[in-house]
Amino acid sequence: MPSDGRPYVVGVQGRHRRSLSPFVVVASTFLHGGGISSFRVAVFAEFWRLTWVPLSSMEEASGMVMDGVVRGCALTIDERTAIAAAVNVVLYRCQLERTAGKMKAAARARRKVTTLASSGEGLDLGPLSDAVLQLCYVLGCGAFPRATPRWWMKRRTGGTWEDLRQSDDATDDYFRDKLRMSPRVFRVIAETLSPYLQRRVTFYRVPLQPDHIVAYALYRWVSGETYDRGTCSFGIGRASGITAVRDVTAALLDAYPDKISRPTGLQKAVVLRAFADKGFPNCHGCIDCTHIYVDKPANANGEDYCDRKRRFSVHAQVVVDMNLRVLDVFVGYPGSVHGMRMLHLSSLWERAESGQLFTDLHAMLPFGVRTNGYLLGDNGYPQLEWIVVPYGGLAQHPTEARFNNRQKTARGAVERAFGRLKGMWRLFLRTHKCNMDTLPQQFIAVCILHNILIDAGIPFDDNLLWEVGPDGVRRRVDLGMHAPLRPVCMESLTGDALILRDALAERMGAQ
């Protein structure tokens, strides 16, 4: 209202003028305009400045206001159109003035910076540039994340991983209990796999570090716990746990391509000497199969995976030396497949039959027999020129019985290797639910870890081979090694294959 207390009326071109309360006009405009802002206040202040007319001059002309109450008809369409046009003009004018004000403020700021730089005052640009370069260098080195996580993302909890990160004497025992290795060996493995496990920094959770990923994958294989339970111990989700196991498996296969191979140099001489002391000169290892028990596959014929003991399993063929190191592994076929069929399907058979498996100097045996090398197997394999198996039958000659006893003793290395392998990595000892597409790669990755721990001198606790059953009785664990029901015979046996075993038996009798 003006200073003299008279009400305002809106000035409109036309025959009629209607007096309106300023409160009604402003309130209506604010309600339809989406709220109060400083910009709208300025607009409507300008609007009233341009359009209000004192009432005294209007009363004399029209007599439309009586006793302080507005009388007459509502605004016509032309009047409302005129008011809208006036408001639009005012809005456009205010918009232009606001934009011009921002441009002037920016120009003043630029002139001020130019004046400071020319006069030598203000910021020192040299140290500032150095600081920017140092900041870029720190960001590039990954000293701290480039992005912060969103506030609504749940932070990860430590759990078992935080306990493993402690540095004290108790942690060494905790490491061996949870991961089957010392902290030093774990750090070596984590550093080797780190280039394969880097995660991209995003605006969500802080990415898992490589050592955290490796620790969970090892814990999964050691404990055999499900993803739902094991991931909670490491403060990660189930999907992250599945991805961690998959990535660590691929990283182990890429980082240690030659870890599963025949020994060379001094290590090879030690292995050959150990077998020679058992009565088997130029023997390179032992071969056998084990069953990895799994739940019934969802997308496959269950009968194919049902083994002789009516359990669902996957077959794995492994060759080990006297130091229990894995020299060759072939895994992936269903449990119903016979061990001899596994041998024919493996690359070991192809290399042996082509003469590429054993290329060392030959050893002389009785009867003028020469051998470049061979493996020891049970009666589930036939007698071949490169596989030596026990004599069959019940009535055996003393020489044959002696040979069988010593061959069984030497072949015990493969059983001890399976005991160490499955005793440490208990996921492959128990029946578990798994992805049949990634199980073979995971088993090979565990064989790589098996060799790493042997090379590092990590001891094995024999108590891991014993467990208490539901009835409270302590018994030895089932390693999945099925003894053959009867010896395997092949019509293609040659005299060289049979005479090799006889020459070894004769050599043992002469000692």
Side-chain angles (χ1 to χ4, degrees), residues 224-240:
E225 292 184 355
T226 61
Y227 284 109
D228 294 331
R229 182 178 179 183
T231 51
C232 294
S233 301
F234 278 74
I236 61 178
R238 185 177 185 273
S240 298

Side-chain angles (χ1 to χ4, degrees), residues 94-172:
C94 293
Q95 186 89 14
L96 292 177
E97 292 179 356
R98 189 178 184 183
T99 303
K102 289 183 178 180
M103 295 178 62
K104 292 178 180 179
R108 287 195 299 269
R110 285 196 298 269
R111 286 197 299 269
K112 184 177 180 180
V113 172
T114 305
T115 304
L116 290 175
S118 61
S119 61
E121 299 177 357
L123 296 176
D124 191 352
L125 299 181
L128 180 62
S129 300
D130 294 340
V132 172
L133 292 176
Q134 292 177 5
L135 178 61
C136 295
Y137 176 75
V138 172
L139 288 173
C141 295
F144 53 88
R146 297 184 181 90
T148 56
R150 300 295 189 185
W151 62 269
W152 63 81
M153 299 303 298
K154 181 181 178 181
R155 299 304 192 265
R156 292 188 174 96
T157 57
T160 304
W161 171 237
E162 290 299 328
D163 297 335
L164 291 171
R165 295 179 65 182
Q166 302 298 324
S167 299
D168 51 29
D169 295 338
T171 308
D172 292 348

Side-chain angles (χ1 to χ4, degrees), residues 65-85:
V65 177
M66 299 179 181
D67 299 330
V69 179
V70 180
R71 305 291 184 181
C73 301
L75 292 176
T76 64
I77 296 177
D78 295 338
E79 291 173 341
R80 282 180 288 183
T81 303
I83 292 176

